[in-house]
Amino acid sequence: MILELEKKVRENTLLIDQLISNYFLNHLSKKDVQTINGLTANNQFTFNQKVKLFCDVVTMSNIDQAKFKVYAKITADLENNDILNPAYFQNIRNYHTFLMNTYSAASDSNSTQVKLFSATSRLSNNIVRLTQVYTEKPQIYAQKGLRNIFSR
């Protein structure tokens, strides 16, 4: 079960990394040669750095930013082989509540570990979808200018 999740997260991470890198390559100016080189073959930027920069550059909701940051944390844990530890899903207290509240069904009667496994899988799929949306049509998420609520 954990190996299936690990494989899914790794595959989704490669896709997300490629989408984010392509987004930056298409939106950076020619003056940003060092940044562009870092995003391509040399892989000077880590996945977590790309996600952080992507969240800073693209206008998105706070909940979507939180989803990206939690996913980046999970991928870092995966790189450290923590996710293969059977106790991993009992020890992710820092984002346990977020995963449960965001991706677990209230009627789900499974154990906490199974709920977290399922929630992590759903998060992984959701991040792929969100990355596609934000990289393909980022302009629809731009916030409109402030308006005076007292004017008529």
Side-chain angles (χ1 to χ4, degrees), residues 75-120:
T75 61
D77 289 350
L78 185 64
E79 289 173 12
N80 297 328
N81 295 317
D82 292 341
I83 201 167
L84 294 175
N85 180 346
Y88 175 77
F89 287 98
Q90 297 168 354
N91 295 324
I92 57 173
R93 301 279 182 240
N94 52 346
Y95 47 85
H96 170 273
T97 304
F98 177 82
L99 283 171
M100 296 296 276
N101 289 339
T102 308
Y103 292 101
S104 184
S107 62
D108 191 359
S109 62
N110 291 321
S111 70
T112 302
Q113 183 174 354
V114 172
K115 287 180 186 177
L116 285 170
F117 178 86
S118 178
T120 303

Side-chain angles (χ1 to χ4, degrees), residues 5 7 11-12 15 22 42-43 56 59-60 72 74 80 83-84 87 90-91 97 115-116 121 123 126 145:
L5 179 62
K7 182 180 176 188
E11 288 172 356
N12 285 348
L15 176 60
N22 287 340
N42 295 337
N43 287 326
D56 289 344
T59 303
M60 64 178 73
I74 289 170
N80 297 328
I83 201 167
L84 294 175
Q90 297 168 354
N91 295 324
T97 304
K115 287 180 186 177
L116 285 170
S121 179
L123 170 67
N126 187 228

Side-chain angles (χ1 to χ4, degrees), residues 108-147:
D108 191 359
S109 62
N110 291 321
S111 70
T112 302
Q113 183 174 354
V114 172
K115 287 180 186 177
L116 285 170
F117 178 86
S118 178
T120 303
S121 179
R122 287 186 194 121
L123 170 67
S124 181
N125 290 334
N126 187 228
I127 292 298
V128 169
R129 186 187 61 76
L130 288 173
T131 305
Q132 290 169 333
V133 168
Y134 284 120
T135 57
E136 291 172 6
K137 299 181 184 176
Q139 68 278 4
I140 65 172
Y141 294 96
Q143 295 177 353
K144 296 186 178 181
L146 298 175
R147 66 181 181 101

Side-chain angles (χ1 to χ4, degrees), residues 4-92:
E4 293 170 14
L5 179 62
E6 178 189 15
K7 182 180 176 188
K8 181 179 194 170
V9 169
R10 285 189 192 276
E11 288 172 356
N12 285 348
T13 300
L14 288 174
L15 176 60
I16 294 163
D17 188 276
Q18 182 181 19
L19 289 169
I20 290 174
S21 293
N22 287 340
Y23 173 82
F24 286 133
L25 290 173
N26 292 330
H27 290 85
L28 292 174
S29 71
K30 301 282 186 209
K31 296 176 188 174
D32 299 316
V33 174
Q34 288 182 328
T35 304
I36 291 171
N37 289 339
L39 292 168
T40 56
N42 295 337
N43 287 326
Q44 294 173 348
F45 282 108
T46 66
F47 178 75
N48 290 352
Q49 290 170 327
K50 288 180 188 180
V51 167
K52 183 177 179 342
L53 182 60
F54 185 68
C55 288
D56 289 344
V57 170
V58 176
T59 303
M60 64 178 73
S61 69
N62 289 340
I63 189 75
D64 286 350
Q65 281 188 7
K67 290 175 183 178
F68 274 98
K69 290 175 183 176
V70 167
Y71 187 78
K73 172 71 170 116
I74 289 170
T75 61
D77 289 350
L78 185 64
E79 289 173 12
N80 297 328
N81 295 317
D82 292 341
I83 201 167
L84 294 175
N85 180 346
Y88 175 77
F89 287 98
Q90 297 168 354
N91 295 324
I92 57 173

